[in-house]
C-alpha cells in the first residue's frame, strides 16, 4: 500500500505546513487498530481549517484511510486519552516524512512520559473513575443493577488506566494485557465482575467493597495535580476552579471530584454570609 499511496503523501509532504507522515499497516490480528482498513496514512500538520480531515481510498481489494490531523488535535488526543489507537499508530507506524524530527521527538516524549504530563493524566482518569464509581453506587442503592453494572465496568477501566499511567506507561488498546502483568489485583476484580456465576447484585456488592480500598489507596496520587493547582491560592470560588486553564480538562467530572475530596477531608468548605437570609456563599480551600 505504501507504493500505491506514494503520490498522495508526497504531495502532502511537499507542503511546509506538514510536520510528519506515517503509514500504519499490519496483519489480520491488528486490523481492528486500523478501523478494518488495510492501511492508515496519518498526516500531521501545523494548522488546518478543520482539526480532522479524512479521505478513503480503494485499490483492487484493498482499502486505505488518509487522516490529516492538526498538531493541536493530536496533543489533545494524547492528553485526554480519547483516541487510544493514536498511540499504536505513532509507535508502530512507519515514518515516511519527518520535518525537523517532529515525529522522532514526539516518540521520545511519549516513551519518557514526563512526570508533569503523567500527573495531569492521572488526575483526569481519577476524576472519571470517581464519576463512574459514584454513579454506579447510587444506581446500585436504587436497585438499578444493570445500569450500576455498566458504570462499574467503566470505573474499573479508569482504575486500570490510572494504574498503567502511575507505572509510567500510556494505556493502550489492549489495556487488560497491560494490567494482567502490572496490577493482577485489578485484573482479578474485573474477572470476578464479568465471569462470576454469582447473582449480579452479589457481584456488585462485593466489588464495591473491594474497590473502596483500591480507590482510597490511589487517591493521593490521583489528585496530586488538582491539589497542586489549588495550592496556588488560599480560597477559591467554584467558577475560578472551573475556569483555571489547567483544570478545564477535567470538564464535567470536576465538581463530583471536589465533592469526593471534601468528603475525604482533602478540601475544606468555607461558608460566607450573603445578603439573602440563611443563604451562604460556598468557597473551597485546602
Amino acid at each position: 500500500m505504501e507504493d500505491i499511496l506514494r503520490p498522495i503523501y508526497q504531495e502532502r509532504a511537499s507542503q511546509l505546513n506538514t510536520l510528519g507522515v506515517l503509514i500504519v499497516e499490519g496483519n489480520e490480528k491488528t486490523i481492528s487498530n486500523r478501523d478494518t482498513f488495510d492501511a492508515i496514512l496519518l498526516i500531521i500538520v501545523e494548522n488546518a481549517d478543520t482539526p480532522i480531515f479524512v479521505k478513503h481510498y480503494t485499490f483492487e481489494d484493498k482499502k486505505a484511510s488518509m487522516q490529516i490531523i492538526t498538531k493541536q488535535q493530536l496533543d489533545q488526543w494524547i492528553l485526554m486519552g480519547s483516541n487510544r489507537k493514536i498511540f499504536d499508530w505513532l509507535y508502530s507506524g512507519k515514518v515516511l516524512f519527518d520535518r525537523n524530527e517532529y515525529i522522532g521527538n514526539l516518540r521520545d516524549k511519549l516513551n519518557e512520559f514526563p512526570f508533569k504530563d503523567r500527573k495531569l493524566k492521572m488526575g483526569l482518569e481519577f476524576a472519571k473513575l470517581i464519576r463512574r464509581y459514584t454513579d454506579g453506587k447510587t444506581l446500585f442503592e436504587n436497585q438499578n443493577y444493570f445500569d450500576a453494572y455498566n458504570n462499574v465496568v467503566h470505573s474499573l477501566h479508569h482504575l486500570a488506566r490510572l494504574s498503567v499511567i502511575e507505572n509510567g506507561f500510556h494505556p493502550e488498546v489492549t489495556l487488560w494485557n497491560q494490567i494482567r502483568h502490572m496490577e493482577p489485583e485489578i485484573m482479578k476484580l474485573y474477572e470476578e465482575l464479568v465471569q462470576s456465576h454469582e447473582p449480579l447484585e452479589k457481584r456488585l456488592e462485593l466489588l464495591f467493597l473491594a474497590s473502596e480500598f483500591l480507590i482510597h489507596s490511589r487517591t493521593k496520587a490521583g489528585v496530586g495535580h488538582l491539589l497542586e493547582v489549588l495550592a496556588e491560592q488560599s480560597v477559591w470560588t467554584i467558577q475560578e476552579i472551573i475556569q483555571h486553564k489547567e483544570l478545564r480538562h477535567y470538564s464535567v467530572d470536576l465538581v463530583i471530584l471536589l465533592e469526593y475530596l471534601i468528603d475525604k477531608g482533602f478540601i475544606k468548605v468555607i461558608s460566607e454570609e450573603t445578603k439573602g437570609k440563611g443563604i451562604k456563599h460556598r468557597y473551597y480551600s485546602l
Side-chain angles (χ1 to χ4, degrees):
M1 289 298 285
E2 181 184 337
D3 292 336
I4 298 163
L5 296 171
R6 182 172 285 113
I8 297 169
Y9 75 73
Q10 282 184 338
E11 178 191 351
R12 298 286 177 176
S14 66
Q15 299 172 7
L16 293 176
N17 190 41
T18 301
L19 298 173
V21 180
L22 301 100
I23 188 167
V24 185
E25 298 180 275
N27 54 39
E28 287 300 316
K29 288 183 179 179
T30 62
I31 202 164
S32 62
N33 289 355
R34 304 189 306 278
D35 299 326
T36 75
F37 282 77
D38 298 287
I40 302 288
L41 188 63
L42 182 65
I43 301 171
I44 306 162
V45 297
E46 187 71 56
N47 298 293
D49 293 333
T50 56
I52 307 168
F53 178 78
V54 181
K55 258 191 171 184
H56 289 168
Y57 300 91
T58 58
F59 178 79
E60 295 178 350
D61 63 338
K62 303 286 186 182
K63 55 182 180 176
S65 173
M66 179 184 73
Q67 303 196 19
I68 303 174
I69 60 171
T70 61
K71 178 181 178 295
Q72 184 179 9
Q73 178 63 64
L74 179 61
D75 291 342
Q76 177 83 354
W77 278 342
I78 291 171
L79 174 65
M80 302 301 291
S82 52
N83 182 357
R84 281 185 283 166
K85 290 174 185 173
I86 200 68
F87 292 101
D88 181 65
W89 295 355
L90 291 171
Y91 282 132
S92 63
K94 179 182 177 182
V95 179
L96 303 177
F97 174 74
D98 193 7
R99 190 181 302 280
N100 300 323
E101 298 183 353
Y102 168 78
I103 294 175
N105 291 331
L106 178 60
R107 281 175 167 175
D108 288 343
K109 185 180 179 183
L110 290 176
N111 286 326
E112 291 166 6
F113 206 173
F115 186 62
K116 183 181 178 183
D117 295 348
R118 223 183 306 162
K119 283 183 77 173
L120 173 55
K121 285 178 74 72
M122 285 170 64
L124 298 178
E125 288 299 337
F126 190 80
K128 291 183 176 74
L129 165 60
I130 295 303
R131 159 71 66 187
R132 288 294 194 166
Y133 180 80
T134 304
D135 288 353
K137 201 164 188 180
T138 301
L139 288 162
F140 175 76
E141 289 166 355
N142 289 318
Q143 298 182 352
N144 295 308
Y145 298 130
F146 288 112
D147 294 306
Y149 176 86
N150 180 52
N151 277 276
V152 169
V153 168
H154 278 90
S155 73
L156 284 176
H157 273 263
H158 291 304
L159 182 61
R161 287 170 61 82
L162 173 64
S163 179
V164 170
I165 296 166
E166 195 174 3
N167 277 280
F169 299 94
H170 291 278
E172 297 171 4
V173 175
T174 52
L175 173 66
W176 292 103
N177 277 340
Q178 289 177 288
I179 284 296
R180 192 181 301 278
H181 304 293
M182 289 181 196
E183 296 286 346
E185 194 172 5
I186 297 175
M187 187 71 201
K188 186 180 177 184
L189 269 185
Y190 187 69
E191 288 175 339
E192 286 177 354
L193 177 65
V194 300
Q195 294 179 355
S196 172
H197 297 296
E198 291 277 357
L200 182 57
E201 180 183 357
K202 187 67 175 177
R203 275 184 275 164
L204 289 169
E205 186 180 354
L206 292 172
L207 190 127
F208 281 122
L209 288 171
S211 296
E212 193 79 38
F213 170 76
L214 287 175
I215 293 172
H216 176 75
S217 66
R218 282 169 168 79
T219 298
K220 197 169 182 180
V223 300
H225 171 259
L226 174 62
L227 297 184
E228 200 173 86
V229 173
L230 294 183
E232 292 174 4
Q233 63 187 57
S234 56
V235 179
W236 295 77
T237 66
I238 187 59
Q239 188 64 17
E240 288 173 329
I241 295 173
I242 290 170
Q243 288 188 328
H244 192 284
K245 62 181 182 180
E246 285 196 40
L247 301 182
R248 288 176 187 168
H249 302 297
Y250 288 79
S251 187
V252 295
D253 302 314
L254 182 56
V255 171
I256 200 164
L257 178 59
L258 288 174
E259 293 303 312
Y260 173 82
L261 293 177
I262 291 165
D263 184 56
K264 300 301 179 184
F266 286 85
I267 293 175
K268 293 181 291 186
V269 173
I270 298 172
S271 300
E272 187 179 284
E273 294 289 345
T274 69
K275 293 177 182 178
K277 187 177 179 181
I279 301 173
K280 296 181 179 181
H281 290 295
R282 199 174 194 241
Y283 299 109
Y284 303 90
S285 177
L286 294 182

